[in-house]
Amino acid sequence: MSTDILMVDDEAAIADLVEVYLKNEGYTVHKFDNGADALACVRRQHLDLAILDVMLPDLDGFTLCQRIREAGHLFPILMLTARVEDMDKIMGLTLGADDYITKPFNPLELVARVKTQLRRYTRYNTGEAAPQEAAEYDFRGLQISRATHKCVLFGEELSLTPLEFSILWYLCERRGNVVSSEELFEAVWGEKYLDSNNTVMSHIARLREKMHENGRKPKFIKTVWGVGYTIE
């Protein structure tokens, strides 16, 4: 079974280069230079991952990302951006992106990030759990299962991306303890944490939104200022 990747970038040189590297890894690439054609592909084609440029001639990449998530698709999304401002990165992650990479980039780094996201997504869909780990947590109306990769809050099943599920699961595993942003990032993303990294904060905000949490008085994921996050 092929691994299908959506590639959307209106810079032909970049799109062609990425396509070559991805195809060399055995992936099937669906390449487009605009958001409208990309959305049509999302509707008709099974996809395993999407790489979206922020600057497109019609829809911007953030809007495209948001529409993909609103349609209920949970496959990983990587954003390509020439912008370096933190707010641009936070916006993309808050709208449902899983990772971003800033232009210019090393194609080998992009391929490595694609592989990381695909491994996580595969575990999410197969329900693969590591041995000797708890299979499920159930407390205060929150039920989360490692075996089925489902999360139910007060009877409502939450539509979580693999990354969001991994964050919530990690916090549940350490319920009652404070987890620093550095620990959470390195455990879930598997990369070295940088002090200027706002990725964790953005995904926590997205999780709280899906859990219908009041950001100022959350019932589940609480912020311990200057330390990290905890589920009590």
Side-chain angles (χ1 to χ4, degrees):
M1 183 176 178
S2 67
T3 298
D4 293 84
I5 296 179
L6 175 67
M7 173 67 200
V8 190
D9 197 315
D10 64 340
E11 295 185 61
I14 292 178
D16 292 345
L17 179 65
V18 172
E19 181 183 27
V20 168
Y21 274 82
L22 293 176
K23 284 187 172 181
N24 283 343
E25 296 295 328
Y27 302 135
T28 299
V29 180
H30 306 269
K31 185 177 62 175
F32 300 96
D33 60 5
N34 65 86
D37 288 342
L39 279 176
C41 177
V42 171
R43 287 192 290 267
R44 69 173 183 265
Q45 175 69 47
H46 167 79
L47 296 169
D48 298 287
L49 183 139
I51 302 171
L52 312 179
D53 186 30
V54 170
M55 302 300 291
L56 295 171
D58 48 1
L59 302 175
D60 63 76
F62 294 139
T63 301
L64 181 55
C65 174
Q66 185 176 24
R67 292 192 181 179
I68 290 173
R69 291 297 186 228
E70 287 175 348
H73 299 288
L74 300 178
F75 54 76
I77 296 177
L78 279 69
M79 304 296 297
L80 299 181
T81 175
R83 306 177 182 184
V84 295
E85 293 85 352
D86 282 344
M87 286 308 297
D88 285 330
K89 298 172 184 177
I90 291 172
M91 179 184 294
L93 295 169
T94 302
L95 292 173
D98 296 280
D99 199 1
Y100 62 84
I101 189 165
T102 304
K103 296 178 179 179
F105 56 85
N106 185 328
L108 293 176
E109 180 186 356
L110 177 62
V111 170
R113 295 198 185 193
V114 165
K115 289 181 177 180
T116 297
Q117 293 296 334
L118 287 172
R119 281 196 299 270
R120 184 180 292 119
Y121 185 54
T122 299
R123 290 198 302 268
Y124 179 92
N125 283 317
T126 59
E128 177 185 332
Q132 299 180 342
E133 289 185 345
E136 184 173 314
Y137 292 100
D138 186 347
F139 59 94
R140 294 172 46 216
L142 175 66
Q143 298 171 294
I144 182 169
S145 170
R146 185 98 182 220
T148 63
H149 274 268
K150 289 185 179 180
C151 180
V152 177
L153 182 62
F154 301 125
E156 175 192 352
E157 184 173 341
L158 304 182
S159 179
L160 303 182
T161 67
L163 209 59
E164 291 162 353
F165 182 93
S166 295
I167 292 169
L168 187 57
W169 181 265
Y170 193 84
L171 291 174
C172 286
E173 280 187 313
R174 289 149 185 79
R175 182 183 171 197
N177 298 317
V178 179
V179 178
S180 69
S181 294
E182 179 179 0
E183 177 186 347
L184 189 57
F185 183 85
E186 294 184 357
V188 174
W189 277 263
E191 298 177 13
K192 186 66 178 175
Y193 179 84
L194 301 176
D195 289 340
S196 61
N197 196 325
N198 291 296
T199 304
V200 172
M201 180 182 67
S202 303
H203 280 85
I204 291 291
R206 179 76 174 174
L207 257 176
R208 284 174 173 161
E209 179 184 337
K210 290 188 175 183
M211 296 173 73
H212 313 297
E213 289 263 76
N214 183 327
R216 300 192 175 206
K217 294 182 179 180
K219 295 180 180 179
F220 288 95
I221 304 176
K222 298 185 178 181
T223 301
V224 180
W225 294 109
V227 184
Y229 302 95
T230 184
I231 287 185
E232 298 177 347

